[in-house]
Amino acid sequence: MGSTNFTKEEAKQERQWAEDKKYHAARSVWIKQRHMTPKRRITWARWFERMFGEPLEQYAQRMADKKRK
């Protein structure tokens, strides 16, 4: 496998898609954050943290603060 080289515009688009994915995942799991995932191994909040490297509550607070500015 070769390395992927993005133009500046492509890299910007990739970052935006990653941010959008995280935002929509957070919205999707917010109400069910304390429920278990279908495999019953972890809560949805823990799933979010594992997937995105940031606790759901912390992300939500950061986004709320950003929206207020």
Side-chain angles (χ1 to χ4, degrees):
M1 290 181 144
S3 64
T4 304
N5 294 319
F6 292 119
T7 64
K8 286 182 182 182
E9 293 79 23
E10 291 169 333
K12 182 179 178 182
Q13 181 64 61
E14 288 291 325
R15 283 190 302 276
Q16 184 61 53
W17 283 336
E19 289 175 27
D20 290 349
K21 178 181 176 181
K22 187 174 184 178
Y23 172 79
H24 289 289
R27 286 186 56 110
S28 175
V29 303
W30 181 256
I31 291 176
K32 59 184 178 181
Q33 65 182 295
R34 289 180 179 79
H35 298 166
M36 301 303 275
T37 58
K39 291 187 179 182
R40 298 262 184 216
R41 292 187 179 168
I42 58 174
T43 63
W44 280 105
R46 183 70 179 119
W47 171 87
F48 183 89
E49 186 173 353
R50 283 185 177 180
M51 178 67 97
F52 298 104
E54 179 177 13
L56 180 60
E57 297 258 348
Q58 181 179 331
Y59 175 76
Q61 185 62 53
R62 188 165 54 83
M63 291 296 103
D65 291 346
K66 183 178 176 182
K67 189 175 182 178
R68 283 188 214 113
K69 289 183 181 182

